[in-house]
Amino acid sequence: KTRPKPGHPNKTTQEEEAAILDVTKEDRFKPATSILKELNLNYSITTIRRCLHNNNIHHRKAAVKE
């Protein structure tokens, strides 16, 4: 038998996660708050960040050359 996975299921659907990743691919430095407003999702910023982290997209700042 397959055992149920521990923990609760994700709030975001696969379609919503794909949309979040599409927005991120357009602009990798876009903040999670902007992604949330652009897609008009009713989730917390932490949920968006968790989605990005689970897909190996982490917070980075642009390098500043002097």
Side-chain angles (χ1 to χ4, degrees):
K1 287 184 179 182
T2 57
R3 300 169 84 182
K5 294 180 181 180
H8 56 82
N10 292 341
K11 280 188 172 184
T12 56
T13 63
Q14 289 181 345
E15 292 83 15
E16 290 169 337
E17 282 196 23
I20 293 168
L21 295 176
D22 287 342
V23 170
T24 306
K25 287 178 186 175
E26 292 172 11
D27 182 9
R28 291 191 57 86
F29 298 107
K30 184 175 277 198
T33 53
S34 298
I35 295 170
L36 195 64
K37 289 177 185 175
E38 184 176 327
L39 296 176
N40 199 20
L41 297 173
N42 193 20
Y43 298 125
S44 69
I45 297 168
T46 308
T47 303
I48 302 299
R49 286 188 184 140
R50 188 178 299 121
C51 169
L52 295 173
H53 283 271
N54 289 340
N55 288 286
N56 293 320
I57 299 173
H58 303 282
H59 175 72
R60 299 285 186 261
K61 287 188 177 180
V64 177
K65 292 186 178 182
E66 294 183 30

